[in-house]
């Protein structure tokens, strides 16, 4: 027996090559999550709670602006609700009702923080249980996501949207010049 093991071997078994490949992918994903958490221990609540908190914050910031400036804030705020909406849809619950209730919980947290004069970024861990579709406190429920993964996901989404807008500007600009 090794006193200080530095490596291990995992033997995978499956009924077919496809099943075995899927098990290998799942194991690799799980090991990458552990690696991410070891390197950066910060965690964010899952179940769409983080996305709804960002959405609520962006919408509130957008409403403080006027005219064209508020458009991007409101649009990105709406886009951030895709994850909670998808979770609700996959659970088979009423998407509109569930997302509206979740939005109300996060808005209430912001309003409570403003009234108390507390943090401008209130802590609201309410999200959607991916199995039942009910709203639950992710802190109590124990669903967490790595901070680094969430940040990278948001960065990639924003960069992709900017790239599409740039391509759209190029295409619409070339049509105007008559090319």
């Amino acid at each position: 027996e090794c006193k200080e093991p530095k490596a291990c071997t995992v033997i995978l078994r499956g009924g077919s090559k496809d099943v075995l490949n899927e098990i290998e992918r799942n194991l690799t994903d799980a090991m990458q999550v552990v690696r991410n958490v070891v390197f950066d221990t910060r965690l964010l609540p899952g179940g769409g709670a983080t996305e709804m908190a960002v959405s609520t914050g962006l919408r509130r910031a957008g409403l403080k602006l006027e005219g064209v400036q508020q458009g991007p804030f409101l649009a990105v705020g709406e886009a951030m609700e895709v994850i909670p909406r998808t979770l609700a849809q996959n659970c088979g619950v009423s998407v509109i009702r569930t997302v509206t209730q979740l939005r109300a919980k996060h808005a209430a947290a912001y309003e409570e923080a403003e009234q108390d004069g507390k943090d401008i970024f209130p802590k609201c861990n309410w999200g959607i249980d991916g199995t039942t579709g009910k709203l639950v406190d992710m802190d109590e429920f124990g669903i967490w996501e790595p901070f680094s993964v969430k940040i990278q996901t948001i960065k990639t989404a924003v960069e992709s949207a900017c790239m599409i807008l740039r391509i759209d500007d190029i295409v619409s600009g070339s049509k105007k010049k008559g090319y």
Side-chain angles (χ1 to χ4, degrees), residues 133-145:
K134 294 180 181 177
L135 297 184
V136 292
D137 185 341
M138 290 294 142
D139 191 17
E140 294 173 10
F141 204 58
I143 303 294
W144 298 97
E145 299 179 32

Side-chain angles (χ1 to χ4, degrees), residues 71-73 75-76 79 156-174 176:
F73 285 86
V76 174
T156 303
V158 171
E159 288 171 4
S160 298
C162 289
M163 188 182 325
I164 290 170
L165 290 172
R166 269 190 237 115
I167 292 170
D168 188 43
D169 284 345
I170 292 169
V171 170
S172 62
S174 66
K176 289 179 185 175

Side-chain angles (χ1 to χ4, degrees), residues 77-95:
E78 184 179 339
M80 291 299 292
E81 291 184 1
V82 168
I83 299 295
R85 199 176 310 125
T86 303
L87 276 171
Q89 189 175 17
N90 289 344
C91 294
V93 297
S94 170
V95 175

Side-chain angles (χ1 to χ4, degrees), residues 79-149:
M80 291 299 292
E81 291 184 1
V82 168
I83 299 295
R85 199 176 310 125
T86 303
L87 276 171
Q89 189 175 17
N90 289 344
C91 294
V93 297
S94 170
V95 175
I96 295 171
R97 184 176 298 126
T98 303
V99 171
T100 302
Q101 290 171 348
L102 184 59
R103 191 182 299 135
K105 288 228 183 240
H106 282 267
Y110 268 91
E111 290 170 12
E112 185 179 319
E114 280 181 354
Q115 288 174 355
D116 295 344
K118 291 183 181 176
D119 192 5
I120 58 168
F121 300 112
K123 185 177 179 182
C124 185
N125 294 332
W126 285 91
I128 299 172
D129 177 352
T131 306
T132 64
K134 294 180 181 177
L135 297 184
V136 292
D137 185 341
M138 290 294 142
D139 191 17
E140 294 173 10
F141 204 58
I143 303 294
W144 298 97
E145 299 179 32
F147 175 83
S148 58
V149 172

